[in-house]
Amino acid sequence: MRIFRGTPVSPGIAEGNVYLYQAFSCDVFESYVPEGREQEAFQAYQAAVHTADAELVAIIHSFAETDADKAKIFSAHREILDDEEIADEIRTAILDESKSADFAVDSVFTAFATLLSKAGDALIAARAADIRDVRNRVVRILHGEAEKNLSRLGAPAIVVAHDLLPSDTATLDKKNVLAIITEVGGTTSHSAILARSYGIPAILGVPEATNALPDGAYAAVDAITGEVYLEPDESSLQLLHQKRDAFAEDMQDASRYLAAEGRLADGTRIEIGLNIGSANDAGALRNCDFIGLFRTEFLYMQTDFLPDEEDQFEAYRRVLADAAGKPVTLRTLDIGGDKTLPGLSMPHEENPFLGNRALRLCLTHRDLFYTQLRAALRASVYGNLWLMFPMVGTLDDIRAAKEAVGEAQRQLESRGIPYDPKVRVGIMIEIPSIAIIADRAAQECDFASVGTNDLCQYLHAADRMNPQTEAYYQSFSPAMFRTLKLIFEAFAAAGKPVSVCGELAGNPQAAPALAGLGLRKFSMNASAVASVKRALSHFTLEQCRTIADQVCRQDTEADVKALLSNPFPI
Ligand code: PEP
Ligand code: MG
């Protein structure tokens, strides 16, 4: 037995076989076959096409009932594989030009994809991404590598990877993921947030995990303490089973609060919001008062091309209609930082978290921005839409974003398309420069939501993705709570609603302090709702205020944590 350690970011206990996920790099070099061996190379190519086709048939079959749209994508891949023009060119490249099979496949597919991606049409460009996908599949088979695909694991497994891209997690085969272990990422990286929202135990920042945990090996995961056991012995397994049962019991206890209204012990009403990443997550809204964060970028990550206005309109309309009048806070595209888009090429930046991210990126890609705003505004007639902009740093940002909304409204008017003119427009408070002038910001928007995940990294200058800076990334620091106090007071004075939708709002230990600082709207992942409601129900408003007051007077994060772990003699 060997034990490895990392940061536990989504609690739970799991055991099973390791599924080592290493994305295939598909590098191909210029190479030729010796004279007389062309026929052999051609046969290898034909055999690879045959295997690729069998893989695609199996994928289509597995998606046929659950996800017709995905099945359609892979049917299109079969057509590409079967394309006569492509096949002819590859035959010529191998038989007449003596190119090796992988080099021939690479040159012909890449030439076709490049041609299409230059067409300047979103639909045709999407076709180019499909061609690249098929190219990767055939090259991988020619290189003798097995398929690794997180969207189809086939059997329950512990996923081990260097990192999971948000696009990987967005398409994850959730029902088969027992746990997630990665080498990078911290408590509020997007892999962590997704793992928590799906209730999948996860430990991030385990150094060398992909070397130390072999594919297929048996492992146990304690995502409460952050330990991974490779080939665990009997006594460790027994302890883990006891812990697993206690954890399940605690979850069971908290679940009694799930359907209740959020209230403090004295009856003070606390609104509980839900964070979602797709239209499919909104089911848990029955236990919540509003959707406090709809991370729309995940819609953009599920395919290799950018969703058009119709696709987005349909997704937003569905969420708004399902919410049946409850407010839906739709956050506009938050790309950059650790999130890139397969369908959007972005120049390399030295410090992407400090770079052209989120609202900044939208303001420099106006077409992208207007398309999303039009889709959201069109959907607004189906429910109660609150539009929210991420990464606002100045009042200039707020004004520019509002102007863009005005422009999108004019575009719809010129097309005679209705929208709800009363849509509320708000901001995320994630950058200290806007937190400090929250009083001024409150005058220029209808509401705010505090993104504590980013606020914490910018306040402490500690990368939320970097396990090396985890100790500096202090969500419970006195500085965080004092900053929150400033924001809550500014919005209360302006009579405008303010919520917190960062991970801190879903942390039961922080709940009484946040309520004591004045917060009445908490928004969180579905998996946190029950335990936060339970935590709030234990304290009166007066007790919360005392706790908040004490928290703000502590010296260090450790002091705050000690105080909150045993806050008050109740
Ligand atoms: C945040 O920063 O707290 C937030 C909610 O946004 P995200 O985690 O998507 O950056
Ligand atoms: Mg953020």
Side-chain angles (χ1 to χ4, degrees):
M1 176 176 85
R2 288 179 67 198
I3 302 179
F4 304 92
R5 287 187 178 79
T7 310
V9 298
S10 175
I13 312 275
E15 62 186 287
N17 293 104
V18 168
Y19 182 94
L20 190 60
Y21 177 64
Q22 277 159 324
F24 177 56
S25 67
C26 308
D27 288 339
V28 169
F29 302 100
E30 180 170 354
S31 67
Y32 297 86
V33 292
E35 220 183 307
R37 307 278 292 271
E38 289 87 358
Q39 197 59 39
E40 207 179 301
F42 185 59
Q43 278 166 3
Y45 159 69
Q46 284 179 312
V49 167
H50 190 73
T51 309
D53 193 56
E55 283 183 2
L56 288 169
V57 170
I59 296 174
I60 293 164
H61 188 68
S62 73
F63 282 133
E65 282 180 5
T66 52
D67 195 334
D69 285 346
K70 267 196 199 143
K72 249 190 251 160
I73 294 175
F74 290 101
S75 296
H77 286 195
R78 279 191 84 197
E79 281 166 24
I80 294 169
L81 199 59
D82 211 27
D83 187 287
E84 260 180 44
E85 212 180 329
I86 294 180
D88 275 351
E89 288 203 14
I90 294 176
R91 185 187 306 116
T92 308
I94 299 176
L95 294 180
D96 300 349
E97 299 164 25
S98 302
K99 286 184 177 171
S100 63
D102 64 343
F103 180 44
V105 167
D106 179 54
S107 5
V108 173
F109 272 88
T110 306
F112 270 86
T114 311
L115 202 70
L116 292 188
S117 56
K118 285 194 181 133
D121 175 300
L123 273 178
I124 298 181
R127 187 93 177 146
D130 285 331
I131 289 182
R132 287 200 187 91
D133 250 20
V134 177
R135 172 252 180 224
N136 290 355
R137 181 175 297 281
V138 179
V139 169
R140 172 180 54 71
I141 294 168
L142 283 167
H143 289 187
E145 297 212 20
E147 188 180 21
K148 288 278 175 187
N149 188 338
L150 290 179
S151 61
R152 286 187 327 114
L153 291 176
I158 295 172
V159 172
V160 176
H162 170 68
D163 188 15
L164 290 183
L165 299 175
S167 51
D168 291 327
T169 35
T171 55
L172 203 65
D173 176 7
K174 295 181 272 295
K175 67 178 186 316
N176 277 323
V177 182
L178 298 170
I180 295 172
I181 297 167
T182 66
E183 294 176 338
V184 300
T187 317
T188 62
S189 62
H190 289 91
S191 309
I193 294 171
L194 270 155
R196 267 197 298 278
S197 72
Y198 296 139
I200 299 173
I203 304 180
L204 309 190
V206 179
E208 296 295 312
T210 56
N211 288 328
L213 299 163
D215 195 43
Y218 200 76
V221 175
D222 180 346
I224 296 170
T225 56
E227 274 148 358
V228 184
Y229 298 75
L230 177 61
E231 307 293 353
D233 59 26
E234 253 324 292
S235 64
S236 307
L237 274 181
Q238 256 178 21
L239 281 175
L240 281 176
H241 291 166
Q242 283 167 13
K243 226 171 165 182
R244 182 190 59 198
D245 295 345
F247 180 72
E249 228 171 83
D250 186 55
M251 292 284 101
Q252 184 66 30
D253 178 68
S255 70
R256 294 184 294 123
Y257 294 81
L258 190 59
E261 281 191 335
R263 287 196 187 276
L264 297 178
D266 59 8
T268 306
R269 181 80 165 95
I270 305 285
E271 285 184 60
I272 302 293
L274 182 69
N275 293 354
I276 63 169
S278 87
N280 300 331
D281 300 343
L285 188 57
R286 65 182 166 278
N287 299 317
C288 299
D289 302 295
F290 63 109
I291 290 178
L293 174 62
F294 178 9
R295 286 186 168 96
T296 55
E297 54 277 3
F298 290 103
L299 188 72
Y300 289 69
M301 289 176 187
Q302 284 164 16
T303 54
D304 283 346
F305 50 92
L306 299 171
D308 62 15
E309 185 179 320
E310 283 313 307
D311 287 345
Q312 292 186 57
F313 162 67
E314 188 45 42
Y316 305 155
R317 189 196 61 74
R318 235 181 88 197
V319 175
L320 282 156
D322 287 353
K326 291 182 181 174
V328 173
T329 317
L330 184 150
R331 177 175 77 182
T332 57
L333 198 56
D334 186 356
I335 285 301
D338 67 335
K339 290 178 285 194
T340 53
L341 284 189
L344 181 72
S345 65
M346 297 194 288
H348 170 78
E349 292 180 297
E350 287 302 331
N351 292 301
F353 272 117
L354 303 180
N356 193 18
R357 198 192 144 185
L359 177 63
R360 298 171 183 180
L361 185 122
C362 286
L363 291 172
T364 50
H365 290 72
R366 292 285 174 152
D367 283 353
L368 196 70
F369 200 23
Y370 292 142
T371 303
Q372 180 172 41
L373 291 173
R374 283 195 308 269
L377 288 167
R378 281 174 58 189
S380 66
V381 294
Y382 294 89
N384 184 355
L385 176 69
W386 294 34
L387 255 184
M388 179 165 78
F389 303 104
M391 285 289 288
V392 166
T394 59
L395 296 191
D396 304 314
D397 286 344
I398 303 180
R399 291 171 191 167
K402 281 165 63 177
E403 264 171 39
V405 175
E407 172 58 27
Q409 288 173 331
R410 282 190 291 280
Q411 290 175 5
L412 288 180
E413 279 159 21
S414 74
R415 284 160 51 187
I417 297 177
Y419 60 86
D420 176 2
K422 295 189 304 299
V423 165
R424 299 203 199 195
V425 177
I427 60 167
M428 289 198 73
I429 299 189
E430 308 180 277
I431 303 181
S433 59
I434 201 76
I436 291 167
I437 57 165
D439 56 337
R440 295 292 308 115
Q443 301 304 321
E444 307 230 356
C445 59
D446 299 325
F447 70 95
S449 188
V450 188
T452 48
N453 309 337
D454 277 314
L455 181 63
C456 183
Q457 80 166 340
Y458 297 128
L459 198 60
H460 296 100
D463 184 345
R464 67 194 266 192
M465 289 298 291
N466 184 350
Q468 238 87 267
T469 53
E470 185 82 14
Y472 296 95
Y473 183 91
Q474 301 187 347
S475 309
F476 281 76
S477 74
M480 276 294 281
F481 285 96
R482 288 196 196 193
T483 308
L484 292 172
K485 182 169 191 267
L486 190 86
I487 299 167
F488 300 160
E489 285 176 356
F491 274 77
K496 305 256 172 98
V498 61
S499 65
V500 171
C501 63
E503 292 300 292
L504 196 63
N507 189 314
Q509 289 212 330
L514 294 175
L517 290 175
L519 187 65
R520 296 292 175 269
K521 296 180 74 172
F522 293 59
S523 191
M524 63 201 69
N525 296 318
S527 64
V529 170
S531 49
V532 169
K533 284 184 180 174
R534 176 175 65 178
L536 290 165
S537 76
H538 289 156
F539 302 94
T540 63
L541 183 57
E542 206 187 319
Q543 288 172 325
C544 289
R545 286 187 174 139
T546 309
I547 294 166
D549 196 46
Q550 286 174 359
V551 161
C552 289
R553 282 190 279 114
Q554 298 302 306
D555 288 340
T556 66
E557 185 192 48
D559 296 336
V560 174
K561 282 187 168 167
L563 179 82
L564 291 179
S565 65
N566 186 13
F568 217 75
I570 356 172

